């Protein structure tokens, strides 16, 4: 990206850890930190959890976000370095993500909407196995999945929870979503499906009173859902900045070859 | 088994469903049902959930149990038929199972013991990924598994929750336990291990206050565990009765060839 | 597609089975079959093997191909019906596929080129495990895969051999290729990767004299290869015709939900 | 094992590599090597391939075998050290293995028998997918498996080819065999089965002329088989010697926890 050095107003956001806070204080002094509302770029200091929070909070502001890893995992983050930030930001590569839009209707009839950068998941909230029907683009594909849960993951989220439950890693920019079961009991060898990014996935919780299920858009939980629809939020674009030698596309590709 | 027809005193236990209760009433009248304490054989009417309860309640009484399927799944159960019970019981094949013994220590220092016929499992009880260390026979084998949970399943339980989380089906009578991760995040491709029935498995929950974990022996839940040890309870023997043409051994074998 | 009934000249091609030959004879009489060179549409009668052959033979002629299943598997084929062909062809939906282009260099220095509709695969041709290095877009990703073989599959081919070796099913039109190992011994849990359709995959056979490897583009075999590159042949378009209610896209989607 | 130092007559066998031959020459001089027929213990120098050969050649002689790794993989082998051999052999732990017995009948009606320490496998010997029926103890379990092949592996062999084709690792001494498909096309999600060591597995090659299949007992190949039965050879015991800190049981256990 081309940005003139003089114009770069930076806002720093830190996770609630001593290391992240200390880094924030030092960087704010060095780079004259401003408030998020006044910033050209948000610099997030922490782990993937903080990064997701910052992304969620900036959905409307549309500012690019540069994360530096001072926490755990750090898939969406760059390496932390205390100096040289301006030149890194000028050289950074932009990656644009569309989040998922979840519309959930609860057993009480309330409708809740939320966005997810990594995944929308449904999970049983009692010891009873969940029973969930799955439709894609209005056509029923699985009338009754017996499972702990099920999720739709984006390419960016495909290396997160999706990978733990044996879902495929999806390269960025290929227009795919992963529909992945969590501990499927029946059909027991169902491995999930890769779907077009234009797909509309609808989950129907069967027997939601005896077998309650909660939905989650990243970390936003909605208990006692009855139906959940998931689509790509084509109207929202999130911009992440990455050091060019190790951007998100490269990370996801590399992850596919990790042993 | 050889039992004289005259001597067969039967106790009937039913799940809390209309169908199971109606069957119980009819069978008690036909076969002069007695109390469990006075019975030679317990006849369980319901699904796998009821069967596990009846097995747990009869650990000390050592009476053989014949289940008939009036519920869901029914892996431990025979087909329901309203008549011909006496001759089925006389012809039935005995299968003897050793349950697992779980000893759990909570974060408050309480020690709780429970037995499990299917599996002992640990599962995160917050949104935080669990971190669990695993030792076998006193030797640390995985210092830190990042996961939703982990379980030890018996052969009888290997077709239950273990199978949903991609664990192997174990034939009866081979002296093996399945140690199976639930949604392993790191090491992410760890598939679990088959262990000798003499193995002592110890789980240590790391960071149990930030990342709380509950243990379960079948359906008995123990929240906030810090360490959990699992061994085979060689001192307990449970006797199940099966119609010879379709006993548990055959079912487990058949399940391995189901597509 | 819109084609005027009068203009439809059809060529029929049949597999070498009695059923396929009989169908060809009957259809040629009913629909006045012409030579392939003179046809508007090629009608292929047989299984997937014949269909692949017909597709290969028509790469340069660019005629649409309508297959009817008179053989085994039949993933690329429509149901066989002896009558009503003209109206089916008029109502048919076109699916356009780009094949893969394989360029193989043998241990003797010969360069061979071939196209593949389903997959390009490498496979050991002795009892010795193959050792194959893998680069993507000029960057080495796996220096040494010990395996029976490895393949690149198209979306159309993702439900064929790729699926047998545990590769993912890819929906049509999403611009992805599946790179999938065949019996990977080391790294033993490597599951393969999804790659952009623009990727250039290069395989280097290590130790090709002691550990000989053959390459195959669909059924075209090239023994004793040393390097093999695979790219999408963006300059070749193959047109298949499908009954609208059950086209290839629907079949691949359906296959993902098959239990 | 307890053996008096004076009594230990050692025979050295080496793979056809310069390193193995040099080691053999040095060890024979240092330890006064004798012929295999006169030895108390055979010392094998090479990789797993040589070790399997030496085991096969000594099936009748029943001498314990101590392997030292001068080749590749080395799962059945100890670390190579040029000195201290006598004390290692005295301290070594014995592991006893029963091989598999394969009886194969070819399409020409010939009956061939062979033993296998790791696995008996069937594999297609043309481009045609193999079709194989599977019976266990006289009962048909899979009428028609479409596949590249199928195998029965011992516990010792479970970490070899069996693992590459996604079969389970089996601990030693648990009385199990792994029946594992190789690239199953139909039923496509069949993962194989764990069987009792007393099981008799029978494979029937369907359509063996159009779809030829070869059987292999370790590296002994038998082309054009029609039926193959596999049982444990309970009458044959092979004795391997291992350094106590890292014996085969420990290796297999460790392999299950490798990431």
């Amino acid at each position: 990206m081309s940005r003139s050095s003089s114009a770069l107003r930076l806002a720093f956001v830190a996770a609630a850890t001593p290391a992240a806070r200390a880094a924030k204080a030092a960087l704010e002094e060095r780079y004259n930190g401003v408030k998020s509302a006044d910033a050209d770029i948000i610099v997030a200091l922490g782990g993937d959890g903080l990064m997701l929070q910052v992304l969620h909070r900036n959905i409307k502001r549309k500012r690019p976000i540069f994360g530096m890893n001072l926490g755990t995992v750090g898939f969406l983050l760059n390496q932390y370095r205390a100096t040289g930030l301006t030149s890194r930001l000028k050289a950074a590569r932009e990656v644009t993500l569309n989040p998922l839009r979840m519309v959930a209707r609860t057993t009480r009839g309330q409708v809740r909407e939320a966005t997810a950068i990594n995944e929308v998941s449904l999970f049983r909230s009692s010891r009873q196995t969940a029973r969930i029907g799955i439709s894609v683009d209005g056509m029923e594909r699985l009338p009754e999945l017996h499972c702990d849960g099920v999720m739709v993951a984006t390419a960016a989220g495909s290396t997160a929870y999706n990978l733990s439950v044996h879902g495929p890693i999806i390269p960025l920019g290929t227009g795919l979503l992963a529909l992945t079961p969590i501990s499927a009991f029946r059909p027991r060898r169902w491995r999930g499906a890769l779907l077009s990014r234009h797909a509309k996935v609808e989950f129907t919780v069967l027997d939601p009173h005896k077998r309650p299920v909660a939905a989650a858009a990243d970390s936003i939980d909605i208990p006692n859902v009855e139906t959940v629809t998931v689509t790509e939020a084509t109207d929202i674009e999130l911009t992440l900045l990455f050091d060019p030698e190790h951007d998100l596309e490269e990370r996801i590709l590399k992850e596919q070859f990790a042993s």
Side-chain angles (χ1 to χ4, degrees), chain A residues 12-13 21 38 43 46 59 61 74 82 87 97 99 112 127 138 164 194 201-202 233 244-245 254:
Chain A
F12 295 90
V13 187
R21 284 177 175 165
D38 301 330
V43 178
I59 278 178
R61 279 194 202 126
S87 51
L97 303 178
R112 300 271 306 271
R127 289 194 60 85
S164 302
L194 287 168
V201 183
E202 294 177 87
E245 70 279 9
K254 200 177 256 173

Side-chain angles (χ1 to χ4, degrees), chain A residues 21 29 38 41 70 92 103 121 125 134 148 222 234 256:
Chain A
R21 284 177 175 165
E29 197 180 312
D38 301 330
I41 296 175
L70 283 158
V103 179
S121 61
S125 46
I134 303 175
D148 276 356
I222 300 176
T234 47
Q256 296 194 85

Side-chain angles (χ1 to χ4, degrees), chain A residues 73-131:
Chain A
V73 186
F75 216 83
L76 299 170
L77 302 161
N78 298 281
Q79 260 203 313
Y80 175 72
R81 281 200 295 273
T83 59
L85 184 56
T86 310
S87 51
R88 284 172 86 185
L89 292 173
K90 281 187 211 160
R93 192 170 150 190
E94 285 190 3
V95 169
T96 303
L97 303 178
N98 292 106
L100 298 173
R101 173 167 287 124
M102 166 178 91
V103 179
R105 195 163 52 78
T106 69
T107 51
R108 296 192 166 188
Q110 291 172 304
V111 175
R112 300 271 306 271
E113 196 180 310
T115 51
I117 289 137
N118 275 349
E119 79 264 329
V120 170
S121 61
L122 282 77
F123 205 90
R124 61 176 170 77
S125 46
S126 77
R127 289 194 60 85
Q128 297 292 325
T129 301
R131 296 189 177 181

Side-chain angles (χ1 to χ4, degrees), chain A residues 188-209:
Chain A
R188 63 179 46 187
R189 282 165 187 167
W190 185 54
R191 297 196 296 174
L194 287 168
L195 302 174
S196 158
R197 69 192 302 175
H198 307 299
K200 179 182 184 179
V201 183
E202 294 177 87
F203 300 110
T204 305
V205 178
L206 309 172
D207 210 355
H209 297 285

Side-chain angles (χ1 to χ4, degrees), chain A residues 225-240:
Chain A
V225 295
E226 191 154 341
T227 62
V228 175
T229 63
V230 185
T231 50
E232 201 182 67
T234 47
D235 53 326
I236 303 177
E237 290 207 331
L238 301 169
T239 304
L240 281 76

